[in-house]
Amino acid sequence: MFLKQYLIPRLIQYVLVIFLGITAVFFIPRLLPNDPVLRTIAEMRARGSYLEPGAMDKIIADLQQMYGLEGTLFDQYLAFWGRLFRGDLGVSFFQFPTPVLDLIMTALPWTTGLLLTTTLLSWALGNLIGGFAGYYANRRWSRALDTVAMVVRPLPYYIFAFALLLLFAYLLRWFPVSGGARLGMRPSWTWTFVQSVLWHSVLPALSIFILSAAVWFQTMKLVVQNINAESFVAYAKLSGVREHRIVSRYVIRNALLPQITGLGLSLGLIFSGALITEIVYSYPGLGTLLYNAIVNGDYNLIMGITIFSIVAITTSVLIVDLIYPFFDPRIRYR
Amino acid sequence: MRRTRLLLTGLLLVVSLIIAACGGGPAAPAATPAGSATTPAAPAPAGGTDATLTEFGDLPRHETLIVDILTGRVGSPDDFNNWVGWKWRDRGMQNLANEPLWSVDFATGKIIPGLAEGDPVYNADFTALTIPLRKGVTWHDGQPFTAADVVFTVETLMKHEGFGDNSFFVENVKSVSAVDDHTVAFELNAPNSRFHTRFLDRWGCTWIMPKHIWESVEDPVTFKFNPFIGTGPYKLHSFDPSGFWTIWEKRADWDKSPTGMMYGEPKPKYVIFRYFANEGAKILAQLTHQVDVVNVSSDGLKAVLTQCDSCRAYQLNWPYVVNNDPAQTGITFNTARAPYDNRDVRWALLLAIDIAEYMGIAVDGTGALSPVHIPSLSNYPKDFIQPMLPWLEEFTLDLGNGETFKPFDRNASQRIAEYARSRGYAVPDDPAEQAKLFGYGWYKYAPDVAEKLLVKNGFTKTSDGKWLLPDGTPWKIRCLTGTQLATGMGERNCVAAVQQWKRFGIDAEVYSSEAAASLNATGDFDVSSNWPAQEPWGAGPDLYRVLDYYNSAYVKPVGENTSGHPSRWSSPEMDATIEKLRQTDPTNYQAVVDVGIEGLKIAVREMPGIPTYGYVGFIAWDQTYWTNWPGAENPYTQPYTHWGPFKYMTPFLQPTGTR
């Protein structure tokens, strides 16, 4: 029953979403007026290269051949799926002939390291504190936290992140102005490198953590306050159920359901990178890689990153769907 | 309750661990390779740990020069094969580690021989040439540089279509051979008096491959050439796999590089090219002495100069900017589309521009005007612009009905000076100094004349002053440009032109697009901020590069790619001039100048694009660690760290001794 009515439809949906998503990602950049070959030539010219106008046709033909842009769109589409099934995302056009997978694998650890930590931490702390603040909504500390969250949450991220940079990197000089690790230091599993990475990631992490935790805090507080007003909670209180049990089993557990869905989506979005964070803190990651790929019409790189993102998001949603019955008995019994 | 406490305690523990790990920053670095201790760049604020102390690791700050990379984060940091695609060559490859045969220095107007020992020697009909090579040069790995390297490079490039220069050499070279260890001979397929310029570094050229490394490579197109081996005075030290920095180290045998032979020992032991993803961080880094040279925006430069006592700009006084960059900015018309296929219309749009206002909007008056299609810098005013002034003053437009108009305005630069004074800037009174700052004149603001030119061609005006095309439909102009509207030199031209044309009664707007390059190439635009002419070399009198841009051989119909020629304008007269220049010996100074002037006159008459001001560069130098920068008061070389001749600046930089 569970398999037929719950699992299989979701698996079909999962595969279909990935297929359609990847197909859309293949075609959409090709509909833009940004031709990667012309863009490459224009960039080379803009950056001082003198390309003989007489030889231009030959250069264009060579680049089209090297980029795999020959043939009809359908030919290219079929070739793309063929490559994808072999685990080959092709080469970056703009960073030719570097394989797309190499570029993604260089950036991915930085992005996932930063975003996974901050997403999980902000989710856990925001919900935990928000849950208690919602249950004890009339306490002074709860109101104070609510005020702080109300002030912090509407701050534009860019301004907030830059303010942290100004305060801690320029005025106090506690943290570096930019980068993911010390200049001259190459990634390695040494304590010195890990320490340097942690030191450089404090400000970017803090900027994401604070704003994100404020959001989780506020939503959790509101949900808890609503559940707290439900009759089953009042009934539990009147029945003499102990308070910690009411909080943990009756209120927070129910309130967590939408938050778990939110966490699933947030985790999936990790693979799109954090563009503004990367720009403010000059942090190496997928965000700027994707941005530059779009600007330069680098189809293969756009597809490579978005394929990761599509698979990550759909997988997160699938996992959330699959584990939901464990949290929500209503689904389990249906 | 106990479970909640446990959870809270666990979370606090994790946070505490992270804070503990990060709190003090990495431990102080060990002794440097040279044995000297790393020392603070700037005094730490009281009570705080100065993060700048540890940012440079093992590199001694007082021996390290740090500059930002102009073209951004390096996309393929482990790939140094610059003969294929774009490899962020300004991260030190072209400017420190490599030596070309010749380099352009736009500040001195000189061609500097690097690997070559002198000028190329052509035969009488330009079908063959020999190039003398410098003796005693070695590659970074100690192998001697010889003519065999040059021959190998050209032959390799001709063998593989994947190389960017493949088609050029296949088209031009019949044979290449080594006459001896230090002489290369070329035989060409057809006369080409400018063949050697393929090896002239003007922000890139064909570089020479070390034969002893490349000859054993199976696929030269995909070969990464890592570690990079060049003949320049610096060799590769390390690079960031994420593309944020590249570090170069002075060769122990720097005297085996052309730089060392010509100018002596480079002073910085290390040079770091560093990327900042946003200008704010770049400025903060300079204010905290973590970067010595930055390329910034106009506002960024003001911020640095206001906040940083140890910083300076190219010019010590207003306008502070680099105003001798060899690029002429302006407006390009798509002459394959009506009504821009009409010379009168193009001239009308020019005369609808009040250049003083335009310059105020575009660059706050900081650029040098040029009335012709080359910038007002280096030797160009002396060779071309000043000799052309009498002709420009007599140049006449036919307005119809027997009426004529002389558009040139020698006082246009004076009007910019007045604008600058009105802004409170200190403008010199000396006309010669003013000409250096603002150029030697431009064109009159004459909307009434513009109106006559348009009426002559069937344009009409509505009662509320809006222009209609000859077919009676409203005239709309979308000025195609890139996305850096606040800072881009091209973009600023569109922003300024649109405001001028709106006031004139045209429904004009800026069309900012990431796809501007592609749209320019395929001709899908009416008016754009593409450079109105190809940039000249920046040194020497040869305008072949500028004029050949208008060659009818490169004109393609709209919809087809013409990356070299977006204006799609040409004329038999210009073709004949280009041909004449091809047959002129490039080393015959006056003959080259004379043909160049002929070509410039045709371009002015036809005005396929409007030349406005020369490219304005905003750079700031921090003098805490290094001084003797090539500022306007002492332009011993070009001032940029991203241009090739940066290596020729390094022997002249002086360490301050600050530690």
Side-chain angles (χ1 to χ4, degrees), chain A residues 39 47 49 96 173 182 186, chain B residues 49 51 86 203 239 514:
Chain A
R39 179 78 196 189
R47 292 169 178 188
S49 292
F96 188 84
R173 299 194 191 179
R182 207 169 68 188
R186 291 176 67 88
Chain B
T49 304
W86 170 251
W203 232 91
F239 61 85
E514 294 284 9

Side-chain angles (χ1 to χ4, degrees), chain B residues 431-458:
Chain B
E433 287 300 309
Q434 275 190 17
K436 272 189 199 167
L437 289 180
F438 306 115
Y440 293 82
W442 206 69
Y443 300 100
K444 292 168 187 164
Y445 174 49
D448 52 329
V449 177
E451 186 164 343
K452 285 177 184 170
L453 282 169
L454 292 176
V455 170
K456 174 186 160 190
N457 286 279

Side-chain angles (χ1 to χ4, degrees), chain A residues 49-103:
Chain A
S49 292
Y50 179 56
L51 303 173
E52 198 73 22
M56 199 63 75
D57 288 345
K58 179 80 171 55
I59 295 170
I60 288 170
D62 287 347
L63 286 176
Q64 279 175 335
Q65 192 257 326
M66 285 194 298
Y67 290 178
L69 295 173
E70 289 175 318
T72 64
L73 212 53
F74 189 65
D75 293 339
Q76 291 178 37
Y77 181 64
L78 287 182
F80 159 71
W81 275 109
R83 281 205 317 268
L84 193 61
F85 281 127
R86 293 194 301 273
D88 177 8
L89 294 171
V91 293
S92 162
F93 298 159
F94 195 58
Q95 285 133 97
F96 188 84
T98 310
V100 162
L101 208 54
D102 286 5
L103 292 169

Side-chain angles (χ1 to χ4, degrees), chain B residues 420-505:
Chain B
R421 283 202 183 95
S422 75
R423 295 271 291 144
Y425 302 135
V427 176
D429 293 322
D430 178 11
E433 287 300 309
Q434 275 190 17
K436 272 189 199 167
L437 289 180
F438 306 115
Y440 293 82
W442 206 69
Y443 300 100
K444 292 168 187 164
Y445 174 49
D448 52 329
V449 177
E451 186 164 343
K452 285 177 184 170
L453 282 169
L454 292 176
V455 170
K456 174 186 160 190
N457 286 279
F459 286 73
T460 51
K461 241 177 166 180
T462 62
S463 53
D464 61 347
K466 298 288 181 197
W467 280 101
L468 302 176
L469 292 165
D471 65 2
T473 56
W475 189 5
K476 291 184 177 178
I477 293 179
R478 295 175 90 200
C479 189
L480 172 67
T481 195
T483 53
Q484 305 289 321
L485 290 177
T487 54
M489 284 298 118
E491 285 89 335
R492 297 307 298 163
N493 270 283
C494 261
V495 170
V498 158
Q499 294 197 31
Q500 298 290 302
W501 292 335
K502 266 186 179 169
R503 189 176 58 186
F504 182 58

Side-chain angles (χ1 to χ4, degrees), chain A residues 137-156:
Chain A
N138 292 324
R139 303 273 175 95
R140 197 181 289 173
W141 60 266
S142 173
R143 287 193 203 139
L145 281 175
D146 205 26
T147 309
V148 171
M150 270 198 291
V151 171
V152 167
R153 191 182 163 177
L155 284 175

Side-chain angles (χ1 to χ4, degrees), chain A residues 184-226:
Chain A
M185 191 177 264
R186 291 176 67 88
S188 61
W189 288 111
T190 59
W191 173 235
T192 320
F193 180 72
V194 172
Q195 203 178 21
S196 181
V197 170
L198 285 173
W199 184 50
H200 280 76
S201 65
V202 170
L203 289 183
L206 202 61
S207 68
I208 299 171
F209 172 79
I210 290 174
L211 290 192
S212 175
V215 174
W216 291 121
F217 170 86
Q218 284 192 319
T219 49
M220 186 64 173
K221 183 169 178 281
L222 282 174
V223 175
V224 165
Q225 277 178 293
N226 281 337

Side-chain angles (χ1 to χ4, degrees), chain B residues 305-327:
Chain B
L305 295 179
T306 310
Q307 300 289 325
C308 174
D309 292 337
S310 57
C311 295
R312 63 158 293 176
Y314 176 68
Q315 300 184 65
L316 291 170
N317 301 305
W318 186 89
Y320 303 109
V321 298
V322 179
N323 62 352
N324 61 356
D325 187 301

